[in-house]
Amino acid sequence: MRAFNVKPVDESLRPKIQTKIDNLNKPLGSMGELEKLAMQVCLVQHTLQPKLTHPCHILFGADHGIEREGVSIAPRDVTWQQMVNFARGGGGVNMLCRQHGFKLRIVDMGVDHDLSAVPGILPRKIAWGTRDFLHEPALTPEQMNQAINTGADIMEQCVSEGCNIVALGEMGIGNTSPSSLWMSEIGRVPLAECIGAGSGLGHQGVAHKLKVLTQAQALFHSTHSEPTVEEVMTYFGGFEMVAAVGAMVRAAESGCLILVDGFIMSACMLAASRLYPALLDYAIFGHVGDEAGHQRLLNLMQARPLLSLGMRLGEGTGALCSYPLVETSVRMINEMNNFQNAHIDKYF
């Protein structure tokens, strides 16, 4: 796997940043989580005057062999249909990108449909969906590396345009199944605690999903006693998920802030941060979603999500919804006056 150089943030400015925040004309600590956000942004950018430039959103799409086992209420055709919808500007992700000024890149990593003639979709197809990990590894090692590199390369394009904050999203029917297995294997959490309704399964559907994934996990353990993160990503991966890992790591390597979306992107961040622990310095967790297990997944990374709106749409929509709070934290530290300049007695 390609090596990246993800450095922990330089903490040397922390005292000066804290002094600046504390001397804004407000009661001490009164801006709550916004103060913590401002601190994080300043540390990542190593400045007392942070700014957000050219925000980008990358949406990776792919299909999954495990979908053939009935683990999702939606058929795989919905993947390509939604990808076309995104390209035409009609998705929730499109609305939020327009609202918050994000440049959207839609990337076909492995959709089981020919999208090559659809304007607005970047053709990076590795295969026509992954293999069925109930019977065999979903990806080959070569495919895993290709997906990592593709995600990193797409992120590099954003960086070259001046991006210093990125949101990531996905489209892939069935992808809560590999995400649950990543969470279980990498986080060492019982599989039953990682599985939820996905796109709308009922109790019977969730029970079937658990049965299928338990069988797949047992087969994996028959050949992998102490699996590495890379082995888990390869065996249970999705092209769009592995690409997101590559994009996350390259973003941090470039000093970009990363807005993390829901259950699937949080599973990707878990994998990426186990490969490069310093990655969490750059991660802003947008929300806790309505998918069972998401809060437990966030706890594995000691993450504090900004929003709790009961969302489980995916596409990166929860991450995009959180962006105004990041922007507000930057405006706070840059635009609020301090006690001395405002001629206000410091009252703490």
Side-chain angles (χ1 to χ4, degrees), residues 25 337-345:
N25 54 340
N337 209 343
N338 59 38
F339 286 104
Q340 182 177 0
N341 290 337
H343 304 290
I344 297 172
D345 290 339

Side-chain angles (χ1 to χ4, degrees), residues 10-321:
D10 184 343
E11 294 276 344
S12 61
L13 271 184
R14 181 180 287 274
K16 291 183 178 180
I17 299 167
Q18 192 63 58
T19 297
K20 183 176 182 180
I21 292 172
D22 289 346
N23 282 282
L24 299 175
N25 54 340
K26 59 174 180 58
L28 187 67
S30 61
M31 295 294 274
E33 291 296 324
L34 293 177
E35 296 187 19
K36 297 175 184 177
L37 263 180
M39 173 64 76
Q40 182 180 8
V41 175
C42 288
L43 287 174
V44 167
Q45 298 186 2
H46 198 65
T47 181
L48 295 175
Q49 292 87 33
K51 58 183 179 180
L52 304 176
T53 60
H54 193 67
C56 288
H57 184 76
I58 309 172
L59 191 155
F60 297 105
D63 278 303
H64 295 258
I66 195 65
E67 175 271 339
R68 304 292 193 196
E69 305 297 335
V71 295
S72 173
I73 194 172
R76 71 170 46 206
D77 281 351
V78 172
T79 302
W80 73 261
Q81 291 165 0
Q82 279 284 41
M83 291 287 282
V84 172
N85 183 41
F86 299 150
R88 293 172 177 170
V93 66
N94 302 94
M95 172 269 293
L96 288 165
C97 283
R98 289 191 294 265
Q99 180 181 2
H100 301 308
F102 276 67
K103 179 174 181 178
L104 174 62
R105 282 180 165 86
I106 307 165
V107 188
D108 174 12
M109 291 298 304
V111 178
D112 190 10
H113 191 84
D114 185 1
L115 298 172
S116 59
V118 181
I121 297 179
L122 298 176
R124 299 291 186 273
K125 195 189 300 290
I126 296 174
W128 301 79
T130 62
R131 296 178 297 183
D132 185 350
F133 60 64
L134 181 60
H135 306 292
E136 59 184 331
L139 281 66
T140 66
E142 293 76 18
Q143 288 174 332
M144 197 274 280
N145 285 323
Q146 185 179 349
I148 288 282
N149 291 333
T150 300
D153 291 346
I154 297 294
M155 184 64 229
E156 180 60 33
Q157 294 173 22
C158 297
V159 172
S160 69
E161 296 170 358
C163 172
N164 71 0
I165 183 166
V166 66
L168 299 166
E170 42 63 39
M171 182 64 226
I173 294 301
N175 60 11
T176 59
S177 289
S179 300
S180 296
L181 283 159
W182 283 22
M183 175 183 172
S184 178
E185 289 293 324
I186 299 170
R188 298 186 181 277
V189 178
L191 185 57
E193 298 177 24
C194 306
I195 291 176
S199 56
L201 290 171
H203 292 299
Q204 186 174 352
V206 172
H208 172 72
K209 183 177 179 179
L210 176 59
K211 179 181 178 181
V212 169
L213 299 192
T214 299
Q215 291 173 350
Q217 190 174 49
L219 179 62
F220 177 64
H221 286 164
S222 70
T223 55
H224 298 77
S225 57
E226 293 291 335
T228 64
V229 173
E230 293 97 324
E231 287 172 336
V232 172
M233 289 170 56
T234 302
Y235 199 97
F236 297 117
F239 295 126
E240 82 283 26
M241 295 169 60
V242 178
V245 170
M248 288 172 176
V249 179
R250 183 68 187 100
E253 186 179 49
S254 302
C256 289
L257 293 157
I258 306 162
L259 292 172
V260 184
D261 191 44
F263 182 65
I264 294 148
M265 287 298 101
S266 294
C268 293
M269 179 55 73
L270 176 66
S273 64
R274 293 299 173 88
L275 294 170
Y276 297 93
L279 188 63
L280 291 176
D281 289 352
Y282 303 83
I284 297 172
F285 291 83
H287 76 127
V288 57
D290 204 32
E291 178 69 10
H294 191 199
Q295 182 62 65
R296 178 77 180 272
L297 178 53
L298 294 173
N299 292 344
L300 292 172
M301 296 177 279
Q302 298 181 316
R304 295 171 61 91
L306 295 178
L307 301 171
S308 179
L309 300 175
M311 297 175 66
R312 54 181 176 86
L313 176 59
E315 306 172 14
T317 50
L320 291 165
C321 281

